[in-house]
Amino acid sequence: MTIQELLSEYEELVDWEEQCDYLIDIGRELPVFPEEFKTDSNIVHGCQSRVWLVAGLDQSHDHEFVRLQADSDAMIVRGLIAVLLAAYQNKTPQQVLDTDIEGLFERMGLNRHLSSSRRNGLHGMVERIRRYASEIVGAEGSQ
Amino acid sequence: MTEFDYLSVRAQFPVLMQTLNRGLRPTFLDSGASAQKPACVIAKEREVEEQYFANAYRGRYLFGARVDDELEAARQKVAVFLGASSPQQVAFVPGCTAGLNMVAFGWANKHIHPGDEILITLMEHHANFVPWQQVALERSANLRFIPMTDDGRLDLDRIDEVLTSRTKVISVCGMSNVLGTINPIAELAKIAHSSGAILVVDGAQSVPHMASRVQETDVDFLVFSGHKLYGPTGVGVLYGKADRLEALDPTVFGGHMIDRVWADRSTWATAPAKFEAGTLPIVQAIGLGAAVDWVNSVGLEAIHQHEQNLLAEATRRLSDFPGIRIFGPGLEHKGAILSFRFDDLHPEDLALMLDRKAVFTRHGHHCTMPLHDLLGVSATTRVSFGAYNGTDDIDALVGAIEFAREKLGVSGVQNK
């Protein structure tokens, strides 16, 4: 699902109740996360629930895209992961860095509806993704 | 015994009488974090602000004198409430955390030396855990833990494994903020004193729910916070035996707490002033006096009985849910706190769904990471009761859990 598809469905919904259910639904459909990746080094800190996130580079095309896999033991967090995956899918490291993710959260009302600890967890995931992307961009710049 | 009229108690709490979005009524089950305030406490705070506010113990004019009188009256009320022999044993401090830090570092100054031992428990809130841990690190003392039974009580049969002639302090919570365990304070005081140690009690959870009887139980220090006792935030109480307060060094220095200041040294005022440096939380401390009056007007014992009945009822009804694990000991050993976790429903998700039904609970590690390590879970959901809760709140809780389970389809999901 692209972020445009996600947003057009999300913004059809009348209130946070429905949007919350929607996030849980798309969280259910996350791609399976390999059990062997559920290691301490892949845990994102700052989350109340456990979140694992693995970032890699997909170089099978003529572009190199950031490839993300993530999972959580909380369903609402899986829903937020689904949003992140949609926002960052098929993007180069530079495009990841250029993505206005805060604007997206604002547009979806997440800052309003999520508690501060959940927002911190979400930002923890974003930070980790951005750090990965900036390492790639930095390494390429120095070559 | 007459039925406890929780509806008329609740009617005194404006915040609980609101109607929220979609016609929901707030079901407040997080008094363990902070209790709501009755109208009389709010009115008292307003009275101070609007009628006679001034700094305390400084200006001998009309307002200042009134504030002093009100503060001393509040101090007296707290002393009687705790069963202390004198209001001079009650110091107003910024909160329970500040008070526990003051005891830990103030006592360590003269009384904890390298190789000495400090005995706490793994069920302590970080506020009664980290200060002692840091004192131990600073003073090269050893931090040890009283063994616990599998159901989350202190195992005093095994206290000899950790109590030594070097034990200088035993510091425990009166009631666990997660397990609800009520600890045997009088027995612990005997144990402490028989080996020359002092007993410090973190009363944050116990003081609002049961009589503290500080003289009878023979505790050396007891600390609690106002906002869990239907009072304002920003004020707590440090109680100590008279001789212990004298032996406790101040750790916060400044105005009012001194006897005499010279250019190169100072001497201290006697307690409680020694522990009240700077401007007090004046309005809050006076408000706390009003909260004590309010609790007395309902009756602490009546509140206790009512809350224990709610705990029993909630435990019974939640036990019916499949896959639930309720933490802590049996009802005879615990107070008004119920922490649990479902096999197939994450506390994070549950909290979100309960919130949608205006059922307010707490989830997470509740500032007890070592305890959660012991329990083997990263987070739990906690329900805690106050005088204003009733069986209708338990109905709402059960209904909201059913809603969460249905919405999250916990039975038919592949990913836990």
Side-chain angles (χ1 to χ4, degrees), chain B residues 5-21:
Chain B
D5 185 4
Y6 69 82
L7 288 175
S8 70
V9 168
R10 188 184 298 158
Q12 299 174 58
F13 290 76
V15 75
L16 298 177
M17 300 310 286
Q18 301 171 85
T19 302
L20 306 173
N21 277 345

Side-chain angles (χ1 to χ4, degrees), chain B residues 6-7 10 16-28 357-360 388-397:
Chain B
Y6 69 82
L7 288 175
R10 188 184 298 158
L16 298 177
M17 300 310 286
Q18 301 171 85
T19 302
L20 306 173
N21 277 345
R22 291 171 290 122
L24 289 169
R25 148 187 105 71
T27 297
F28 190 76
K357 292 291 176 193
V359 174
F360 304 147
Y388 36 62
N389 289 121
T391 46
D392 55 350
D393 292 324
I394 299 175
D395 293 341
L397 172 68

Side-chain angles (χ1 to χ4, degrees), chain A residues 93-107:
Chain A
Q94 188 57 53
Q95 287 169 329
V96 164
L97 292 175
D98 293 342
T99 300
D100 178 17
I101 202 80
E102 271 304 315
L104 175 68
F105 295 159
E106 200 55 52
R107 181 169 168 188

